[in-house]
Structure formats: C-alpha cells, structure tokens
C-alpha cells in the first residue's frame, strides 16, 4: 500500500547519517561518562564535544546546555525550578501552549500559591503583544512562558520582542522551542531568553533526548536529583548514543537549513494552493497562510464536511496510507477536542474536522497530490 507520512510535527524519521553515528557510538563508546578509566573518559569527551557543538549553533556556552530526556522534561525543569527556586509567583502563558507547559503549570498551581495569566490571542491565535506588556507590568516576580512555534497551527511568536519586553520589565522568559529548534536558527546571544526546551525527535534525531538551555547564573536548580551528571543539573547516566544522535541531527539540520527550508516551504505552498483549487471552501486554521507569522513546516486544515461524515475522515485517510494528525500527537487517540483549536475557533468551525499535515524534506509534491486527491474525493463524495 502507498504510505505518505505527513505527521512530522509529531515526530520525524531518523536520518540515515544519524542512525550510523548512533550505531558507532553504541559500539565504540559504551563507557559510562562518569567513570575515570579510559572507556569513561572517551565517552565523557564525546559528550562534552556534543555539548559544545550544540551550544555553538546558538552562540551560547557549553555550560548552558543541559541534556534531558526530551522537550517535556526540559519544560518541566525550567517551569518547576523557576517557581520553586527563583521565587516566581506569576506565570504568563497562553491557552494554546503544549500540554508539557499547561499541565505542568496546573500542577504547580496545586503546589504553590501562583498567579496565572493567559495572554489574549487574536482570531488566528497570534499573541497580543500590547496585552502581554500590560500583564508583564505587574509587580509580581513573573515568568513568561510562550512557545516559539505552535505545534498544532504553526503560529510563530516574535521571540525578540517578547524577550525585550521581559527584560525591560524584569520578567524571566522561557520558550518551548521544541517545534523550532532544527528548523529555525536562533542566536541566544542576541535574543534575551532565559530558558528554552528542545527535542531531537522533531528534527530527524532520536526520541528520548533533548536539551534545556539555561542562561548562565540564572539560579535554576535540578528537577531530578542523584549523581553529579550534567554539572549537577540533571542526575542520571547520560544517554550518550542519543546525545550523539541529537548532535548529528542538529548539525545536518543547520548545515542544510536554507535549502531544506525552501524545499519544504514550496511543498506547503503547493499543498495550500492545490487544496484550495480542489476544495474552494477549505479553511486554514490559525495563521497558516500568513507567510511571516506561520512556520513553513505545517498546515492545519478545516474541511467543509458535515459533522456526521467527520468521524470517517481519519479512518479513510489511514486506510489510504496517509499519516496525519487531528491535533498534537499526545491527543490524537483522544476523543477530546483540541485545546488549541477550542481557544481560537467559533463553535461552528469547531464542529468541522480539522487535520494537521506537517512536512519534512523527505516528502514530495507527488505525495501531496495524492493526499489532496484523497481529501477532495472524500469531501465531494
Ligand atoms: C511544542 C511541544 N512541546 C513539547 C513537546 C514534548 O516533547 P517531547 O516529546 O520530547 O517530550 C512537544 C512534542 O510533541 C511539542 O510539540
């Protein structure tokens, strides 16, 4: 059966070079990086080289990169410690953040006295920066946590502007950059962000590894206690083959960035144009059609289908070998409505099926044409 993978915001295929590098490390660098003998020293040196490489992409020092088990852990580390150790009493976020943020904040509210503010969004889900500034002006010790790229609708946050506002008003700034690291370059020397979270499996690296950028002298403390790994920030023997895989995937992502970006953007535009031609009443959720404020990697499509036909759509796509997603991967199996779409759509549009298609450099226009035909046949049947 023909198979088309268009769920790259959920996870990406490993690049062959990444598999090769990881296999080598699994064979040749099995020593524990904390051991002092030659096996351990060799793993330690590899680990520190990976850290330096990662740090160099963002123009920060190696000491500011802490490897974690992925994006969720990095988000938890930053949010939890900001409240527990840095005295944060007010968190400003948005209703369309990933659950790694929203559920962590919910839990923190149960444990600490915490004021929570949601920034206003426009009808496309873009942050209202004037309202954000009003919220930041409060006299509380504040942390702003806003994602760079939304994983469901692809909206882009103006990191520079938010960083500047936070700095001006003495607030800390954390950004969930899980959907942007490996897809956008960031100079953290120029952008005042205190903490960010990244995950390797979103840029053709392995699952179960990511990192947290923690700005020097921020005072952040560990989430996981135990040994002295990761300079005491994150106990537990480092997953050295995963870290090497992350390093390799990031290196390739950034060295091919301009070319890959242009290729994927063309796929996205082709998808939008052809879908509109086949299904003129199709709508795109969020700012998907906005060339400045939307990522090149995904579209969220609202199809003009009666509610009674909607449950068949995902089934039909799956039957035709098309992998896409109803919301974030963590919610795909759930019958609950996407919290992101609920925050921005009116009731009428919320009843129509919305599907996220997310692209990678491994996709082709022919694959997209096939998907468009399947969608058009379904809508017109
Ligand atoms: C925006 C965003 N934040 C956090 C995560 C969680 O990352 P991980 O799967 O590495 O824990 C994801 C993954 O779906 C994501 O898309």
């Amino acid at each position: 059966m023909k198979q088309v993978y268009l769920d790259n915001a959920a996870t990406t295929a490993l690049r062959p070079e990444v598999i090769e590098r990881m296999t080598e490390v699994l064979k040749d660098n099995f020593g524990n990086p904390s051991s002092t003998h030659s096996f351990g020293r060799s793993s330690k040196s590899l680990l520190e080289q990976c850290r330096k490489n990662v740090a160099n992409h963002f123009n920060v020092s190696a000491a500011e990169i802490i490897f974690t088990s992925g994006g969720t852990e990095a988000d938890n580390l930053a949010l939890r410690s900001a409240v527990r150790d840095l005295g944060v009493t007010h968190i400003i976020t948005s209703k369309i953040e990933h659950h790694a943020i929203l559920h962590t904040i919910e839990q923190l509210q149960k444990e600490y006295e915490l004021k929570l503010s949601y920034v206003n969004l426009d009808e496309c889900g873009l942050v209202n920066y004037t309202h954000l500034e009003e919220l930041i002006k409060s006299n509380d010790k504040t942390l702003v946590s806003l994602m760079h790229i939304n994983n469901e609708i692809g909206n882009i946050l103006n990191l520079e502007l938010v960083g500047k506002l936070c700095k001006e008003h003495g607030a800390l700034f954390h950004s969930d950059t899980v959907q942007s690291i490996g897809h956008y370059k960031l100079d953290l020397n120029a952008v005042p962000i205190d903490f960010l979270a990244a995950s390797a499996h979103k840029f053709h690296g392995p699952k179960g590894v990511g990192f947290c950028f923690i700005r020097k002298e921020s005072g952040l403390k560990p989430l996981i206690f135990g040994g002295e790994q990761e300079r005491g920030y994150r106990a537990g023997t480092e997953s050295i083959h995963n870290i090497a895989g992350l390093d390799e995937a990031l290196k390739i992502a950034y060295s091919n960035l301009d070319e890959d970006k242009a290729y994927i953007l063309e796929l996205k535009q082709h998808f939008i144009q052809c879908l509109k031609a086949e299904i003129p009443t199709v709508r795109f959720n969020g700012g998907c059609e906005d060339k400045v404020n939307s990522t090149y990697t995904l579209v969220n499509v609202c199809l003009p289908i009666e509610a009674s036909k909607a449950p068949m759509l995902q089934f039909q796509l799956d039957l035709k070998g098309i992998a896409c997603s109803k919301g974030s991967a963590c919610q795909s199996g759930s019958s609950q409505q996407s919290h992101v779409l609920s925050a921005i759509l009116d009731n009428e549009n919320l009843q129509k099926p919305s599907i996220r298609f997310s692209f990678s450099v491994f996709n082709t226009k022919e694959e997209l044409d096939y998907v468009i035909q399947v969608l058009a046949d379904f809508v017109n049947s």
Side-chain angles (χ1 to χ4, degrees):
M1 184 180 70
K2 193 177 174 74
Q3 280 196 304
V4 181
Y5 187 77
L6 290 180
D7 204 10
N8 291 283
T11 198
T12 52
L14 284 170
R15 285 187 193 265
E17 302 92 322
V18 173
I19 300 178
E20 214 172 289
R21 172 102 186 269
M22 288 175 71
T23 311
E24 267 168 32
V25 171
L26 278 165
K27 278 197 292 200
D28 303 338
N29 294 90
F30 65 88
N32 186 325
S34 301
S35 300
T36 52
H37 48 62
S38 61
F39 293 82
R41 289 199 309 274
S42 141
S43 292
K44 179 78 175 171
S45 129
L46 172 64
L47 171 67
E48 293 314 320
Q49 188 55 53
C50 291
R51 198 189 310 282
K52 261 190 224 154
N53 296 344
V54 170
N56 284 343
H57 292 298
F58 305 102
N59 204 8
V60 295
S61 71
E64 294 171 299
I65 300 295
I66 303 301
F67 291 116
T68 64
S69 65
T72 303
E73 184 189 325
D75 282 332
N76 268 264
L77 168 59
L79 294 177
R80 288 212 137 259
S81 181
V83 174
R84 188 192 56 202
D85 308 308
L86 307 184
V88 163
T89 54
H90 179 202
I91 295 186
I92 302 172
T93 189
S94 83
K95 290 198 172 160
I96 60 172
E97 298 297 303
H98 191 271
H99 279 157
I101 301 296
L102 295 177
H103 288 169
T104 305
I105 296 175
E106 254 169 48
Q107 184 56 33
L108 283 167
Q109 277 198 300
K110 290 182 193 155
E111 297 171 36
Y112 300 88
E113 215 161 288
L114 197 58
K115 187 169 129 191
L116 175 60
S117 307
Y118 293 108
V119 67
N120 290 344
L121 304 170
D122 71 10
E123 64 285 357
C124 287
L126 290 170
V127 165
N128 178 330
Y129 297 108
T130 312
H131 183 228
L132 179 64
E133 186 166 18
E134 276 164 32
L135 293 172
I136 300 180
K137 277 182 184 163
S138 75
N139 290 324
D140 313 292
K141 175 80 185 167
T142 299
L143 171 80
V144 172
S145 180
L146 290 172
M147 71 205 308
H148 186 199
I149 291 183
N150 187 280
N151 54 305
E152 289 195 39
I153 52 176
N155 289 0
I156 303 179
L157 181 83
N158 186 335
L159 282 180
E160 290 79 10
L161 177 60
V162 176
K164 197 169 134 271
L165 288 176
C166 288
K167 204 164 179 188
E168 260 169 41
H169 298 288
L172 291 164
F173 180 26
H174 163 257
S175 185
D176 178 332
T177 47
V178 167
Q179 293 289 341
S180 61
I181 297 288
H183 303 282
Y184 286 87
K185 281 200 171 142
L186 288 181
D187 180 354
L188 294 175
N189 201 22
V191 184
I193 299 178
D194 296 285
F195 318 113
L196 63 76
S199 178
H201 74 101
K202 307 290 185 179
F203 50 85
H204 304 289
K207 293 170 186 56
V209 65
F211 62 87
C212 189
F213 160 74
I214 302 178
R215 179 82 61 194
K216 218 178 293 172
E217 290 163 14
S218 66
L220 215 71
K221 299 245 165 49
L223 176 72
I224 294 171
F225 295 89
E228 279 303 301
Q229 292 91 350
E230 297 297 295
R231 296 179 176 79
Y233 270 115
R234 204 271 182 178
T237 303
E238 294 91 345
S239 183
I240 188 84
H241 59 291
N242 270 334
I243 291 170
L246 179 153
D247 173 38
E248 188 70 26
L250 201 57
K251 182 184 85 188
I252 300 172
Y254 282 138
S255 50
N256 297 349
L257 191 69
D258 292 342
E259 233 173 84
D260 288 356
K261 206 170 172 176
Y263 176 78
I264 300 170
L265 180 61
E266 209 180 308
L267 289 181
K268 173 176 167 172
Q269 282 167 347
H270 177 79
F271 191 74
I272 291 178
Q273 276 160 15
C274 295
L275 201 59
K276 274 179 166 174
E278 289 290 331
I279 312 171
T281 50
V282 71
R283 274 192 50 260
F284 294 92
N285 293 318
C288 287
E289 289 183 89
D290 178 333
K291 293 202 174 90
V292 178
N293 296 309
S294 176
T295 178
Y296 59 99
T297 52
L298 70 89
V299 286
N300 194 308
V301 181
C302 180
L303 289 164
I305 293 174
E306 320 149 13
S308 62
K309 263 174 83 182
M312 282 305 291
L313 176 63
Q314 274 229 312
F315 178 69
Q316 188 62 16
L317 289 170
D318 195 26
L319 210 66
K320 299 278 185 189
I322 299 166
C324 53
S325 161
K326 193 168 79 159
S328 81
C330 336
Q331 295 168 315
S332 291
S334 140
S335 56
Q336 267 183 2
Q337 189 52 261
S338 145
H339 68 282
V340 174
L341 296 183
S342 302
I344 60 164
L345 293 185
D346 59 29
N347 239 340
E348 193 192 331
N349 281 314
L350 212 47
Q351 299 314 314
K352 295 180 189 147
S354 285
I355 309 270
R356 177 187 70 185
F357 297 95
S358 43
F359 315 110
S360 88
V361 74
F362 298 125
N363 292 122
T364 62
K365 276 189 182 165
E366 290 67 39
E367 286 181 329
L368 300 188
D369 292 341
Y370 168 69
V371 175
I372 290 162
Q373 203 48 60
V374 170
L375 289 172
D377 289 349
F378 185 84
V379 169
N380 300 324
S381 66

